[in-house]
Amino acid sequence: MSGEFTFIDWIRGQTRPNTRVLIGPGDDCAALSPGRSPWLITTDMLMDGTDFVLAEVGPHRVGLKAMAVNLSDLAAMAGRPVGVVVSVALPRGDDTLGRDLYHGLREMADSFGVPIVGGDTNSWAGPLVISVTAFGEAERPVRRNGAKPGDWLFVTGPLGGSILGHHLDFTPRIAEALRLHETVDLHAMIDISDGLSADLHHILEESRCGAVLHAEAIPIAEAARQLTQQSSKTPLEHALGDGEDFELVFAVSPEDGEKLLREPPVQVWKIGECVADGYWIEEQKNRRPLVPTGWVHSL
Amino acid sequence: MSGEFTFIDWIRGQTRPNTRVLIGPGDDCAALSPGRSPWLITTDMLMDGTDFVLAEVGPHRVGLKAMAVNLSDLAAMAGRPVGVVVSVALPRGDDTLGRDLYHGLREMADSFGVPIVGGDTNSWAGPLVISVTAFGEAERPVRRNGAKPGDWLFVTGPLGGSILGHHLDFTPRIAEALRLHETVDLHAMIDISDGLSADLHHILEESRCGAVLHAEAIPIAEAARQLTQQSSKTPLEHALGDGEDFELVFAVSPEDGEKLLREPPVQVWKIGECVADGYWIEEQKNRRPLVPTGWVHSL
């Protein structure tokens, strides 16, 4: 972790004590107390012009998003966040960019009590690049491969149209994942980053089963409806295909599914069931094949 | 860890089993078995044009370096590497870049038996950016703050002139650090990334003491001598000021220091002693102040 300047000074100045942080920024590595559960590790890199447009959204919201997308990956496995490290390449010549970016990162991390334990701050002639690595713990991590035919499928929130703002302002479903994990046996789970149809397809591939979604049951975000005014798609198509909702989609047994409908520990929507084979959407009793193409990173 | 394509496929194809990897790439996070020691975490981002010139050195050597600089930070605290994750922004349009970069990363990781457990692969219109996060373990991490007046100072190899090639081809001193940690009580240690005088100064600041270096005792790399032909500096100035040697500098008690000279477990050079105050270099019995300016990342 060489080349630090401002970030490390700011991190050192953080006041909230954290019992897990044995050694914080200032040595060559951070050190955390071990714990008893498996470590979870995830990393995501965001680049100006690809994952955000810095000139439009500003560095604070980029910081929020860079932190949140990583915490969302921990949520997808029902992990408790333990800490993060942050690497950045800052475009030269903007004195306040690093500070505002850091404040966004800290705001999101603080809202989950997660310490930023280290980083690597660089400047260069290129556009802003930020890479966050988050680590957490889960005694029983929830994977993608445990869904079974007959399982019920749920999502934690309305979907589609996140490009209008939600992709920058979402709340990673850490708390929801932990509550669900306490309440029911989560057979498989993923966070929706590439789009419902694409990410659910990852679960189906890993679990070697199929699914039927009920079009009328899929919760559609207001933004998805707004977006139809400027797109050639229906609200449902936006809900199925748009990326970066960062809600969770998960599979549970029918018994657990009924329990969730009866006494929901957090807001959930039942959207379909797992079947032995195929990938289908049912609309007014008509079943047609569903294509697992979600949002694709602009290339 | 969304947006993966080739890297994750390659990582999935890795054949060496590793008992610590509970869940590898393919889920939202990697999961590692917990162990009993504190976790060490470090991250370093390298950018084309700043840390390397891709067109001159090629992607394989960039991969070697990006992995090695992170392992060197683990070495600095006498950590055992447990795993790494890698994020990259690949410039669009070069089909073999990602593969060759990955082979360099794997070659260096394999030489220390470290699994690459996950990553995030992106492409964009900008230059190559690569961010590695390495995690390890150390029952007793060696910090920067334990040097005492009277301690002897050692380095693990000749210094200076790394810009001629060593900065791309070095071996992180993981094995040496572990051997030294078994043999003596390492009071303080750091890896030389910014230059001997700058990095030793970090130890002195954290330990609140001073040091005297013996000019004649500092091992000077052949490259430092070569470099004088095109620079206005002496070989000693290169050894003191050049960055990216990635050797270790450390402090031990005089008793342990004598033990290291008598029966060195690895190659070491005694370069000076810690004193109560000040930062000095002694040449032919003349003592003059040493300035803690090492190599500065080109800005």
Side-chain angles (χ1 to χ4, degrees):
Chain A
M1 293 201 281
S2 61
E4 307 95 330
F5 55 106
T6 46
F7 262 44
I8 294 307
D9 295 331
W10 293 324
I11 298 170
R12 279 181 186 230
Q14 73 181 16
T15 46
R16 295 190 186 196
N18 187 298
T19 54
R20 298 294 299 272
V21 181
L22 302 172
I23 299 172
D27 281 270
D28 288 282
C29 306
L32 300 173
S33 63
R36 292 180 177 196
S37 304
W39 309 0
L40 301 180
I41 322 269
T42 185
T43 188
D44 256 309
M45 179 181 273
L46 276 64
M47 297 102 69
D48 186 10
T50 303
D51 301 285
F52 56 84
V53 177
L54 179 61
E56 285 174 18
V57 305
H60 186 90
R61 293 176 88 188
V62 172
L64 290 173
K65 177 172 182 173
M67 184 62 63
V69 297
N70 279 279
L71 297 180
S72 184
D73 279 322
L74 292 179
M77 295 183 75
R80 289 178 304 280
V82 172
V84 300
V85 293
V86 180
S87 292
V88 288
L90 300 168
R92 246 165 250 151
D94 184 338
D95 290 345
T96 59
L97 172 59
R99 187 197 59 200
D100 294 345
L101 180 69
Y102 177 72
H103 286 162
L105 289 161
R106 272 301 297 278
E107 183 180 319
M108 183 58 69
D110 280 353
S111 69
F112 291 92
V114 187
I116 302 174
V117 296
D120 183 26
T121 315
N122 307 275
S123 61
W124 75 327
L128 176 61
V129 179
I130 175 163
S131 176
V132 176
T133 302
F135 20 100
E137 289 182 329
E139 214 161 308
R140 297 172 293 120
V142 178
R143 302 193 56 181
R144 298 178 181 175
N145 64 2
K148 296 176 185 67
D151 277 359
W152 289 13
L153 293 165
F154 287 85
V155 294
T156 54
L159 307 175
S162 83
I163 190 70
L164 295 184
H166 179 76
H167 76 111
L168 293 161
D169 293 325
F170 66 95
T171 301
R173 297 303 185 193
I174 293 277
E176 290 77 4
L178 295 175
R179 286 295 302 279
L180 289 164
H181 199 35
E182 283 167 14
T183 312
V184 294
D185 181 12
L186 297 165
H187 289 179
M189 189 156 67
I190 195 168
D191 68 322
I192 301 175
S193 54
D194 295 338
L196 171 62
S197 63
D199 286 313
L200 176 55
H201 193 251
H202 291 311
I203 285 184
L204 302 180
E205 279 188 311
E206 297 291 329
S207 299
R208 299 179 185 197
C209 67
V212 180
L213 299 187
H214 304 293
E216 294 86 353
I218 295 170
I220 293 173
E222 183 50 38
R225 296 185 207 284
Q226 274 177 44
L227 206 54
T228 57
Q229 293 168 13
Q230 59 192 81
S231 77
S232 57
K233 295 179 181 171
T234 65
L236 179 65
E237 283 170 330
H238 282 294
L240 289 166
D242 290 355
E244 307 215 316
D245 290 310
F246 297 107
E247 298 294 344
L248 300 170
V249 54
F250 60 92
V252 294
S253 71
E255 296 71 34
D256 274 344
E258 280 179 8
K259 190 171 162 187
L260 288 181
L261 293 182
R262 216 165 42 233
E263 293 176 50
V266 298
Q267 267 205 309
V268 291
W269 284 258
K270 185 189 171 207
I271 59 164
E273 297 95 29
C274 291
V275 295
D277 258 323
Y279 197 22
W280 314 94
I281 186 150
E282 220 171 67
E283 202 165 3
Q284 295 168 332
K285 306 284 174 190
N286 283 319
R287 191 178 277 201
R288 55 192 166 87
L290 186 57
V291 182
T293 46
W295 181 77
V296 171
H297 290 264
S298 57
L299 285 180
Chain B
M1 292 202 281
S2 61
E4 308 95 330
F5 56 106
T6 47
F7 263 43
I8 296 307
D9 295 331
W10 294 324
I11 298 170
R12 279 180 185 231
Q14 72 182 17
T15 47
R16 295 189 186 198
N18 188 297
T19 54
R20 298 293 300 271
V21 182
L22 302 173
I23 299 172
D27 280 270
D28 288 281
C29 307
L32 301 173
S33 64
R36 292 182 179 196
S37 304
W39 309 359
L40 300 180
I41 322 268
T42 184
T43 189
D44 256 310
M45 179 181 273
L46 276 64
M47 297 101 69
D48 186 10
T50 303
D51 301 284
F52 56 84
V53 177
L54 179 62
E56 286 174 18
V57 304
H60 186 88
R61 294 176 88 190
V62 172
L64 290 173
K65 177 172 182 173
M67 185 61 65
V69 296
N70 279 279
L71 297 180
S72 184
D73 279 321
L74 292 178
M77 295 183 76
R80 289 179 304 280
V82 172
V84 300
V85 291
V86 179
S87 292
V88 288
L90 300 168
R92 247 166 250 151
D94 183 339
D95 290 344
T96 59
L97 172 59
R99 187 198 60 201
D100 295 345
L101 180 69
Y102 178 71
H103 287 160
L105 289 162
R106 272 302 296 277
E107 183 180 319
M108 182 59 67
D110 280 354
S111 69
F112 292 93
V114 188
I116 302 175
V117 296
D120 183 25
T121 315
N122 307 276
S123 61
W124 74 328
L128 176 61
V129 179
I130 176 164
S131 176
V132 176
T133 301
F135 21 97
E137 289 182 329
E139 215 161 309
R140 297 172 294 120
V142 179
R143 302 193 55 181
R144 298 178 181 174
N145 64 3
K148 296 177 184 67
D151 278 359
W152 290 13
L153 292 165
F154 288 84
V155 293
T156 53
L159 307 175
S162 83
I163 190 72
L164 295 185
H166 178 77
H167 77 110
L168 293 161
D169 293 325
F170 66 95
T171 301
R173 296 303 186 194
I174 293 277
E176 291 77 5
L178 294 175
R179 286 294 304 279
L180 289 164
H181 199 34
E182 283 167 13
T183 313
V184 294
D185 181 12
L186 297 165
H187 289 179
M189 189 154 69
I190 195 169
D191 68 322
I192 301 176
S193 52
D194 295 338
L196 171 61
S197 62
D199 285 314
L200 177 55
H201 194 252
H202 291 313
I203 286 185
L204 302 180
E205 279 187 311
E206 296 290 330
S207 298
R208 298 179 186 198
C209 66
V212 180
L213 299 187
H214 303 293
E216 293 86 353
I218 294 170
I220 293 174
E222 182 50 37
R225 296 185 207 283
Q226 275 176 43
L227 206 54
T228 57
Q229 291 167 15
Q230 58 192 81
S231 78
S232 57
K233 295 179 180 170
T234 65
L236 179 64
E237 284 170 329
H238 282 294
L240 288 167
D242 289 356
E244 305 213 319
D245 290 310
F246 296 108
E247 298 293 346
L248 301 170
V249 54
F250 61 91
V252 294
S253 71
E255 296 72 34
D256 274 344
E258 281 177 6
K259 190 171 162 187
L260 289 180
L261 293 182
R262 215 164 43 234
E263 293 175 49
V266 297
Q267 268 206 308
V268 290
W269 284 258
K270 186 191 170 205
I271 59 166
E273 297 96 28
C274 291
V275 295
D277 259 322
Y279 198 21
W280 314 94
I281 187 152
E282 219 171 66
E283 201 164 4
Q284 295 168 332
K285 306 284 173 189
N286 281 321
R287 191 178 278 200
R288 56 192 165 84
L290 185 58
V291 181
T293 46
W295 182 77
V296 172
H297 291 264
S298 59
L299 285 181

